[in-house]
Amino acid sequence: MLGAIIGDIVGSYLEVEEIKAKKLKKVRDYTERIKILDKNVSLFNDSCSYTDDSVLTTAIAAALCSNKDYEFYLKKYGLQELSLGLDKYGRKRFSPGFIHWLTSNEQGTSLGNGAAMRVSPIAYYFNNLNEIEANALKATVCSHNHGEAVSAVLAVCDCIYMLRKRLSKEDIKSYLQREYSYNLNLDLTNLQKNYSFSAKAQDTIPPALFCFLLASDFEDALRKALSIGGDSDTIACIVGSISEACFEIPDYMFNEVKKYIPLYMQEIILKYYERVNTFQSRKILKMMR
Ligand SMILES: [Mg+2]
């Protein structure tokens, strides 16, 4: 969960740059994109902000800490966020489709990446895959009742679960390719040069999984995720959410990320990790208190 929020925050301002390029029918320049691979370039800066990915991940965690009514909490936190007006970058806080869902009583049929980015708290909360998948579905179909969005959610959950069970990356990769027909034999340089912005689940999940599979530690995973551009906050959010299952979050990131997380969100993070036993729950609680 916290890995997702960290990814969202470090990717936030880059998504804005990526969208600017997309509006000009271009992809952001390769040399600009790969600057983030330099460890001397800070992941955190004044342009960072939490975005919808963090808000909705928090909503799922809040639901888990109470009655598990995912739709209720997604709407509650979503509407609360919407009432704040434009975001730091002068944009609406959610996509038009999601705003429609928030403010209507209709089931959503989005094929966007928005359910996959918010689902990680479920994948750490339950201890067997059936329960994880059943709850992930419940948290998804209210707004993203589309085959691609559902597959994306299940792929992220399966990946986290298999990492918790200490399966090797090779085995996880084979499983995901077989089960979801995702092509995970991608080329990092090709993505950095040519990957263009898309918020579709099927365009987001394979590159995100690929960046994670290539990574050597938590920070490396985020830097690789950001270096390919596209929907940067969401890709980094998903990569962070998965990476948390096997890589330790570096100490320095806790103090950094706290600066960007609203108090109500910090409270839910603590509540959540008091209930969830991951290999770094204790450390997260200590560092976030
Ligand atoms: Mg976002």
Side-chain angles (χ1 to χ4, degrees):
M1 181 216 183
L2 184 62
I5 292 175
I6 293 172
D8 174 41
I9 289 169
V10 300
S12 53
Y13 70 99
L14 290 170
E15 184 206 14
V16 178
E17 296 303 314
E18 291 287 330
I19 290 176
K20 269 188 209 162
K22 194 195 175 182
K23 282 188 178 152
L24 299 170
K25 297 199 175 359
K26 288 200 274 192
V27 296
R28 204 161 128 258
D29 187 58
Y30 167 67
T31 51
E32 283 300 315
R33 279 180 167 177
I34 62 166
K35 277 182 185 166
I36 202 71
L37 293 174
D38 179 352
K39 289 206 166 186
N40 295 313
V41 175
S42 175
L43 286 172
F44 298 91
N45 61 52
D46 290 345
S47 301
C48 290
S49 170
Y50 75 90
T51 80
D52 51 345
D53 308 51
S54 295
V55 174
L56 301 176
T57 297
T58 302
I60 297 293
L64 288 164
C65 294
S66 57
N67 60 3
K68 302 183 181 61
D69 186 340
Y70 302 109
E71 181 169 2
F72 173 83
Y73 280 92
L74 287 168
K75 290 210 164 164
K76 179 180 168 186
Y77 287 99
L79 289 169
Q80 182 184 299
E81 185 66 16
L82 201 59
S83 75
L84 300 176
L86 299 180
D87 71 5
K88 180 171 180 168
Y89 314 103
R91 307 172 308 175
K92 294 205 167 127
R93 288 176 188 256
F94 299 99
S95 68
F98 195 76
I99 292 174
H100 177 77
W101 179 75
L102 279 176
T103 53
S104 73
N105 284 320
E106 293 165 28
Q107 185 180 40
T109 55
S110 170
L111 55 63
N113 52 27
M117 83 197 182
R118 72 191 185 208
V119 79
S120 67
I122 291 173
Y124 291 94
Y125 188 89
F126 298 99
N127 291 321
N128 73 70
L129 194 56
N130 286 341
E131 258 186 303
I132 290 173
E133 290 192 342
N135 278 274
L137 278 177
K138 249 175 90 180
T140 298
V141 294
C142 51
S143 60
H144 289 69
N145 193 19
H146 185 286
E148 290 292 350
V150 169
S151 287
V153 163
L154 296 179
V156 169
C157 287
D158 289 359
C159 185
I160 292 173
Y161 179 76
M162 289 186 281
L163 288 166
R164 288 177 59 197
K165 292 289 166 197
R166 297 285 171 254
L167 266 72
S168 72
K169 279 188 175 177
E170 262 317 298
D171 287 346
I172 293 173
K173 182 181 172 186
S174 309
Y175 173 87
L176 293 168
Q177 293 195 126
R178 195 173 63 239
E179 214 50 39
Y180 297 99
S181 305
Y182 287 153
N183 174 16
L184 300 178
N185 292 315
L186 301 170
D187 180 275
L188 187 63
T189 309
N190 186 33
L191 288 169
Q192 288 161 341
K193 286 184 174 166
N194 301 311
Y195 182 65
S196 63
F197 185 97
S198 168
K200 287 182 184 170
Q202 65 268 39
D203 295 337
T204 306
I205 306 308
L209 292 170
F210 170 75
C211 288
F212 162 72
L213 290 167
L214 219 56
S216 55
D217 59 41
F218 190 81
E219 182 173 328
D220 184 47
L222 292 183
R223 288 190 186 276
K224 284 193 165 71
L226 298 175
S227 77
I228 66 168
D231 192 354
S232 287
D233 56 340
T234 297
I235 294 173
C237 170
I238 292 168
V239 170
S241 80
I242 295 169
S243 297
E244 185 187 339
C246 65
F247 298 135
E248 224 181 290
I249 299 172
D251 287 3
Y252 84 88
M253 282 196 189
F254 292 94
N255 279 336
E256 286 290 334
V257 79
K258 255 198 261 182
K259 297 176 196 163
Y260 304 91
I261 305 180
L263 218 53
Y264 84 90
M265 234 182 243
Q266 293 194 31
E267 283 167 10
I268 294 165
I269 290 168
L270 293 178
K271 259 192 189 175
Y272 174 77
Y273 283 103
E274 278 161 9
R275 285 166 171 78
V276 169
N277 193 20
T278 77
F279 81 92
Q280 53 189 334
S281 287
R282 272 191 188 184
K283 179 179 171 181
I284 291 173
L285 283 170
K286 187 175 147 224
M287 303 295 272
M288 293 300 287
R289 270 191 181 119

